[in-house]
Amino acid sequence: MPPDRSCFTPLNLPPTFSLPQCMDYFTLGAAPNTDLWRKPPDRDTSTAPILFTSLRHPFVIAEVTVTADWEMEWDQGGLVIFAGSAPTPGPASNTGRNNSRRAPTQQSNNSNDNDNPTNRDSGTSSNSQQQQQQQPDEPAPPYSRSTSSCKWVKAGLEFSSGTVNASSVSATDDGADWCLAPLALPNQPTNITSLRIKLERIGHSLWVWYQLPTLSSHARTPGAIGSTWRKLREVTWFFWAVEDKSVHVGVYASRPSNLSMSSTVFAMRNGSRLNSATGSRAAAADDSGSQVHGEGLVVEFEDLEIY
């Protein structure tokens, strides 16, 4: 049975967003340059759209199936669990994962320099002006230092290195790690667009599982269904010294990349498909009220269960 919609809190979603009538199926739209990430020492990026509930009882298990058109590097969606204070919106500045990589300096060729007699007759003057115009590389925008001791784990389906992956990130005070399990060969066509994710509490540890819906649909017995689950990782001592009422569980969608789809190889190979997909994504975003158009990612969530 899906959880009650009245228990959920939207985060990093527009005021026009409305909670679905039933949490059995809904969508979240993520604009480019949105992410949930942590870099040491305890510097957070929390701009990804999240829908979460604060538990009033000990956490046992959470499951959801995610589906989307995974196209850009780091496209992702899935489950997220916070231990500690409730999550808060991230900074308004661009602090996505891709901004930690310094962009190459672009040199501009100004045609007006050739019309200047001084530049034509004296190479020294031209070089002097070019040196004045060149600016040193500026550092990446600073991350906002987190003031809480909240730790979190996210797990879901992520597109990276040319293929879809079961992925997970565990964030503590020391920073975050990144775990990937490829579901298909890189840079090869695949029909995998959905994944079911499960977070399970076992003692003080958090176990992360994933299941391909195409495999579970052929299982007929409880034992056969159980064998289709694969363990992605175990986060030891995640619940140690954590109060039951300080656990927050939900779903998230994220598109950390801020590249334009029109500049990608995918767009060159799938021009007409890209246009139709863009229209369908925009329509889906309008239905959810997420206001994500064109370059955004829309993730579908089905059969959400939280106990």
Side-chain angles (χ1 to χ4, degrees):
M1 181 177 179
D4 187 357
R5 63 188 294 269
S6 62
C7 299
F8 282 83
T9 301
L11 183 67
N12 298 323
L13 287 163
T16 55
F17 177 82
S18 58
L19 291 170
Q21 293 298 322
C22 181
M23 303 303 293
D24 189 53
Y25 174 83
F26 57 95
T27 62
L28 286 182
N33 207 31
T34 54
D35 200 2
L36 178 61
W37 187 245
R38 177 174 291 176
K39 293 192 68 175
D42 193 19
R43 294 175 293 180
D44 285 349
T45 298
S46 180
T47 54
I50 299 174
L51 202 58
F52 72 93
T53 178
S54 298
L55 302 184
R56 300 181 180 274
H57 53 77
F59 172 77
V60 178
I61 198 170
E63 293 185 29
V64 76
T65 300
V66 294
T67 305
D69 292 329
W70 315 100
E71 300 162 340
M72 305 291 290
E73 184 74 3
W74 303 322
D75 275 2
Q76 58 191 273
L79 289 170
V80 60
I81 181 170
F82 300 87
S85 58
T88 57
S93 60
N94 292 335
T95 57
R97 196 184 319 180
N98 51 321
N99 285 322
S100 63
R101 304 177 182 179
R102 182 174 300 175
T105 303
Q106 296 182 355
Q107 296 181 354
S108 60
N109 296 326
N110 193 340
S111 59
N112 293 332
D113 290 343
N114 296 329
D115 297 333
N116 190 326
T118 304
N119 294 342
R120 288 200 307 266
D121 298 337
S122 174
T124 303
S125 299
S126 177
N127 292 336
S128 176
Q129 288 186 1
Q130 290 180 3
Q131 291 176 359
Q132 293 178 359
Q133 292 177 358
Q134 291 178 351
Q135 300 293 333
D137 291 343
E138 296 182 358
Y143 284 76
S144 63
R145 180 174 294 275
S146 174
T147 58
S148 68
S149 58
C150 175
K151 54 184 176 180
W152 51 263
V153 171
K154 66 176 180 178
L157 186 59
E158 179 172 356
F159 185 83
S160 180
S161 301
T163 189
V164 287
N165 304 265
S167 73
S168 175
V169 171
S170 175
T172 64
D173 292 340
D174 298 325
D177 62 14
W178 186 22
C179 172
L180 288 178
L183 303 176
L185 294 175
N187 303 314
Q188 297 293 328
T190 178
N191 59 357
I192 299 177
T193 59
S194 301
L195 190 69
R196 188 156 184 84
I197 293 292
K198 177 167 65 176
L199 303 179
E200 183 179 11
R201 177 173 182 170
I202 300 180
H204 293 296
S205 298
L206 177 69
W207 288 35
V208 181
W209 306 82
Y210 67 94
Q211 179 191 67
L212 289 171
T214 53
L215 296 180
S216 61
S217 61
H218 299 288
R220 302 302 180 189
T221 64
I225 295 175
S227 64
T228 61
W229 285 100
R230 300 177 183 177
K231 183 180 179 181
L232 179 61
R233 69 181 304 175
E234 176 185 359
V235 183
T236 58
W237 304 108
F238 180 79
F239 295 100
W240 176 256
V242 175
E243 295 184 5
D244 293 334
K245 294 183 179 180
S246 297
V247 176
H248 319 273
V249 187
V251 297
Y252 77 98
S254 173
R255 170 161 279 182
S257 176
N258 58 5
L259 296 175
S260 172
M261 283 294 297
S262 59
S263 63
T264 63
V265 175
F266 180 90
M268 291 187 292
R269 294 179 178 176
N270 303 272
S272 59
R273 177 186 168 190
L274 173 64
N275 293 333
S276 60
T278 300
S280 63
R281 288 199 304 269
D286 287 339
D287 292 339
S288 66
S290 297
Q291 293 184 344
V292 175
H293 302 278
E295 304 294 342
L297 171 71
V298 175
V299 180
E300 302 175 25
F301 298 90
E302 296 181 81
D303 300 327
L304 174 64
E305 298 178 4
I306 300 176
Y307 299 103

